[in-house]
Amino acid sequence: MSSIQKAHEKLPGSLILLLAASAGFGVAALYYSQPMLGVLGPDIGASARSVGFVPTLTQLGYALGILLLAPLGDRFDRRRIILAKASVLVLALLGAAFSPSVAPLLAASLVIGLSATLAQDVVPAAATLAPEAHRGRIVGTVMTGLLLGILLSRVLAGFVAEHFGWRTMFVVAAVSIAFIGAAAARGLPRLRPTTHLGYGALLGSLAGLWKRHGALRRATFAQALLSVGFSAFWSTLAVMLHGAPFHLGSAAAGAFGLAGAAGALAAPIAGRLADRRGPELVIRMGAVLVAVSFAAMLFAPLLATPAARLGLIVVAAIGFDFGLQAALIAHQTVVYGIDPGARSRLNAVFFTGVFVGMATGSALGALVLAQWGWPGVAAMASVSALGALAVRMWPAASSKKKAAVACGSAA
């Protein structure tokens, strides 16, 4: 057994915690601006339309970073990439904090998105460092940090902006990334590159990986379908809560992030179950839970009081988030096991599909809400989850059919 394998088997808890914190604080930088737009725009004299491009450019930068920068993790030491992105992210966050007008803020937002993709370097690093027998558990733990970063960032940003100002939030975010960078410089081991391909060939290989690996295509399609419902819910929730019968403000919608955070507990549980029983079972169970949770929201109008309806939506939100995160962890276990030498590129392909699903869900959610109301959104999300389940069931059905044909031929 090599010394590297022995080191992997003794992966310390402090390193797992560092990886989880790096992923969480890194991805949180994408979402700090969203609850602050109401106070941010008037302070710099920007219109609501122009300031609305702040989160748009942040997300665009993140999508471009996943596609164009994440594959570099196979070509270079991921530790160096993470440290470089952390340095750029600190400068971008400080640039946002001290932006005198909307133009430099928009530029800083794009760079924030690009450099926040350090989170997409951390997760493959965790998969590489983890022993195979415990990869699901360790990746699940790191993903818990990432998911908590997504879900709690809006709550934190809204509180800090309201009490201390939006610029303070960006400074706090920059300080947090600086601490993460310093800790990573001391505690993160070097990771050997797995390929010597040039940059053009590296990006070109993404299409080859997509064509060559059916497991990658199935995982991407299924998780993208699950992401449609997830994004549709979160993009329409504030509008739904603002109307009858709830008449609640944006703070209430932000508080739903706490309900979603409970769902993030699924990550380590799903990872352990995937290690023991295989990822396929976890994915199917997760898809079923998502479909059932969204379908349960259809019964909210039948409840007598607004409080009861709100309670049902909270419980359903915990349920679908739990199922979605479980499926995500299990899908990552599948994807990272396809080709250890191409984990960063596989991760780039997979998450590009996930973000396409999220963008589609946001667009469809707004259209469906306007046409059929909240029940339409819940029904669409449930159907998309059933579509994900069908994608995962299809290979198994095909395999059984082939096996039956083979047995018939032998007879």
Side-chain angles (χ1 to χ4, degrees), residues 24 31 82 88 93 130 136 220 236 260 267 308-309 337 340 381:
Y31 302 99
I82 291 169
V88 174
L93 289 166
T220 303
T236 59
R309 298 179 190 180

Side-chain angles (χ1 to χ4, degrees), residues 19-339:
L19 291 166
S22 299
F25 281 104
V27 79
L30 296 173
Y31 302 99
Y32 289 132
S33 66
Q34 292 182 359
M36 303 193 299
L37 297 180
V39 296
L40 187 153
D43 190 58
I44 59 175
S47 67
R49 181 178 180 180
S50 60
V51 82
F53 283 104
V54 170
T56 301
L57 284 174
T58 305
Q59 294 287 349
L60 177 61
Y62 194 72
L64 289 173
I66 290 175
L67 185 62
L68 302 177
L69 299 180
L72 292 174
D74 292 332
R75 178 64 179 82
F76 300 100
D77 177 7
R78 287 194 189 94
R79 177 180 179 274
R80 293 175 59 189
I81 293 174
I82 291 169
L83 295 178
K85 286 184 178 179
S87 300
V88 174
L89 183 54
V90 168
L91 295 176
L93 289 166
L94 290 175
F98 296 104
S99 294
S101 63
V102 70
L105 179 60
L106 291 175
S109 298
L110 181 64
V111 180
I112 287 172
L114 285 166
S115 51
T117 53
L118 69 88
Q120 296 300 331
D121 297 302
V122 170
V123 180
T128 299
L129 291 169
E132 184 175 356
H134 303 291
R135 183 171 296 132
R137 176 180 63 82
I138 291 173
V139 170
T141 302
V142 173
M143 284 298 297
T144 298
L146 185 146
L147 297 169
L148 288 175
I150 293 174
L151 295 166
L152 299 181
S153 55
R154 299 181 183 93
V155 180
L156 175 63
F159 176 83
V160 173
E162 182 175 343
H163 291 87
F164 305 102
W166 65 272
R167 296 183 188 273
T168 301
M169 184 62 245
F170 279 122
V171 172
V172 169
V175 171
S176 71
I177 297 298
F179 275 113
I180 287 295
R186 292 175 58 88
L188 191 63
R190 297 185 182 277
L191 295 159
R192 297 176 183 174
T194 56
T195 182
H196 296 289
L197 291 174
Y199 182 65
L202 198 66
L203 293 184
S205 67
L206 298 179
L209 290 170
W210 177 261
K211 292 178 181 178
R212 190 161 58 250
H213 298 295
L216 174 62
R217 295 193 299 271
R218 290 192 297 274
T220 303
F221 280 131
Q223 195 65 41
L225 284 168
L226 291 172
S227 299
V228 167
F230 176 84
S231 184
F233 174 87
W234 288 108
S235 63
T236 59
L237 177 66
V239 178
M240 185 274 292
L241 292 178
H242 183 73
F246 304 111
H247 303 292
L248 297 174
S250 57
F256 265 75
L258 297 175
L265 297 175
I269 297 173
R272 290 188 180 93
L273 186 58
D275 288 336
R276 294 173 183 173
R277 301 290 300 276
E280 193 63 49
L281 174 65
V282 178
I283 294 168
R284 293 177 183 179
M285 290 174 59
V288 169
L289 183 56
V290 172
V292 170
S293 297
F294 278 120
M297 294 185 194
L298 294 171
F299 295 95
L302 302 179
L303 299 179
T305 65
R309 298 179 190 180
L310 194 63
L312 174 61
I313 295 172
V314 169
V315 172
I318 295 173
F320 81 71
D321 200 76
F322 198 99
L324 181 134
Q325 310 308 348
L328 176 61
I329 299 306
H331 271 137
Q332 286 180 292
T333 301
V334 172
V335 170
Y336 293 144
I338 291 172
D339 183 354

Side-chain angles (χ1 to χ4, degrees), residues 344-370:
S344 288
R345 284 168 287 166
L346 292 166
N347 189 67
V349 173
F350 176 69
F351 273 99
T352 297
V354 169
F355 269 80
V356 169
M358 292 184 69
T360 302
S362 294
L364 288 178
L367 293 173
V368 172
L369 183 69

